[in-house]
Amino acid sequence: MIISVFPNLNNFGVKEIAQDVFSVLNKLNAKVYVDEKLKDCFADSNVEFDSADKLIDLCDVAIAIGGDGTTLNIAKKTAQKNKAILGINAGRLGFMSGLEKDELELLENMVRGKYEIDKRLMLEAHVVDDKGNLVSSHQCLNDAVISRGNFARLVDVELYCNGREVRKMRADGVIISTPTGSTAYSMAAGGPVVSPEASCILATPICPHSLMDRSIIFSIDAHLIIKAGNDKSECPVLNIDGQEMIELKNGYSVHIKTSDIKTRLIKLKPENFYEILNKKLIERRA
């Protein structure tokens, strides 16, 4: 098996975890590739190096070592190539991680092909200008957030579904999320926790200026349009998975629907979503 490993060395302890991963994979006779920019860091490891943009094409599966942000970033790239990814948690919660750092012996099951694939719904977001022209397109695994940006003013948000008005609100913004993203920003904003097995789209207002504004769950075939603006010159912004930011100029709208692409997460343990939820959230608070 050919495995490309993506360690986020900005996370504490990732270098040591990556070296342990390399050691386990070498004993299993797997061929391991790492970004050539990390050659000095892993020069003594028995791995191959190549450019980062080739690693996903080269591999059978990918491994991301870091927090959820690391796994999410690499997962979106593997999804484009219809390849699977395993996240190894070196962060805090690690909802998207398939293994903890003390469970590396389970990598043998992955190399032997003894694993399940957990397919995760994604969204596609299109920014459209006031003349109906496409400005940009984006793939979302967690969420697309339309917000007021850095200025301390509410924005007027208009939400439409399949051409019909759903709600107008004044708020800090609105989070459009997948079930996977329901345990991220949406949950922090008071949204519901949804099993990743569900097929739906969530819309959660951020600090709405009304007690009546609550989350709405839409069907899988919903086509959402969000318009946002305010009475000042500052522009709202669209944030994709916390990694891309696009300024929404006057008259711009965001069109969101289910993507044809799905993220494929490698599952090596028998835990279900609710067991993971209890372990990550409830037990860690105790």
Side-chain angles (χ1 to χ4, degrees), residues 115-169:
Y115 59 84
E116 297 179 10
I117 294 294
D118 185 6
K119 293 183 180 180
R120 298 292 181 91
L121 179 149
M122 296 179 68
L123 302 175
E124 58 182 42
H126 303 285
V127 179
V128 177
D129 68 16
D130 56 351
K131 295 181 175 59
N133 300 313
L134 180 66
V135 175
S136 60
S137 296
H138 312 270
Q139 295 289 330
C140 318
L141 177 52
N142 264 1
D143 48 42
V145 180
I146 297 91
S147 69
R148 58 186 174 83
N150 293 324
F151 57 94
R153 294 184 63 87
L154 297 172
V155 292
D156 294 304
V157 179
E158 299 178 19
L159 175 61
Y160 301 85
C161 177
N162 298 336
R164 294 180 177 272
E165 182 181 305
V166 175
R167 179 179 296 172
K168 291 182 179 179
M169 68 185 90

Side-chain angles (χ1 to χ4, degrees), residues 158-168 218-219 221-227 253-257:
E158 299 178 19
L159 175 61
Y160 301 85
C161 177
N162 298 336
R164 294 180 177 272
E165 182 181 305
V166 175
R167 179 179 296 172
K168 291 182 179 179
F218 295 94
S219 67
D221 58 352
H223 178 188
L224 305 181
I225 298 177
I226 303 95
K227 300 177 181 179
S253 58
V254 182
H255 297 236
I256 297 177
K257 63 180 182 178

Side-chain angles (χ1 to χ4, degrees), residues 28-192:
L28 296 169
N29 296 317
K31 189 170 186 178
V32 180
Y33 279 92
V34 181
D35 186 349
E36 61 187 4
K37 293 180 181 179
L38 302 180
K39 186 176 292 187
D40 290 342
C41 187
F42 298 116
D44 297 331
S45 301
N46 185 21
V47 297
E48 302 287 335
F49 297 94
D50 211 318
S51 60
D53 58 354
K54 293 181 181 179
L55 293 185
I56 294 174
D57 287 324
L58 286 169
C59 71
D60 297 309
V61 299
I63 293 177
I65 307 175
D68 276 339
T70 304
T71 302
L72 184 148
N73 181 40
I74 305 302
K76 290 171 67 174
K77 296 177 181 178
T78 58
Q80 298 281 350
K81 303 289 185 178
N82 197 32
K83 294 191 177 182
I85 180 171
L86 172 70
I88 297 179
N89 185 30
R92 284 167 289 186
L93 291 178
F95 270 108
M96 295 180 63
S97 299
L99 288 181
E100 300 295 326
K101 60 186 177 181
D102 58 352
E103 299 174 323
L104 299 185
E105 71 278 359
L106 294 177
L107 288 172
E108 181 175 359
N109 289 338
M110 185 185 74
V111 175
R112 306 297 183 219
K114 298 178 181 179
Y115 59 84
E116 297 179 10
I117 294 294
D118 185 6
K119 293 183 180 180
R120 298 292 181 91
L121 179 149
M122 296 179 68
L123 302 175
E124 58 182 42
H126 303 285
V127 179
V128 177
D129 68 16
D130 56 351
K131 295 181 175 59
N133 300 313
L134 180 66
V135 175
S136 60
S137 296
H138 312 270
Q139 295 289 330
C140 318
L141 177 52
N142 264 1
D143 48 42
V145 180
I146 297 91
S147 69
R148 58 186 174 83
N150 293 324
F151 57 94
R153 294 184 63 87
L154 297 172
V155 292
D156 294 304
V157 179
E158 299 178 19
L159 175 61
Y160 301 85
C161 177
N162 298 336
R164 294 180 177 272
E165 182 181 305
V166 175
R167 179 179 296 172
K168 291 182 179 179
M169 68 185 90
R170 286 182 63 79
D172 281 0
V174 63
I175 305 163
I176 309 298
S177 72
T178 65
T180 296
S182 73
T183 54
Y185 192 6
S186 177
M187 181 179 70

Side-chain angles (χ1 to χ4, degrees), residues 186-198:
S186 177
M187 181 179 70
V193 173
V194 179
S195 168
E197 298 176 354

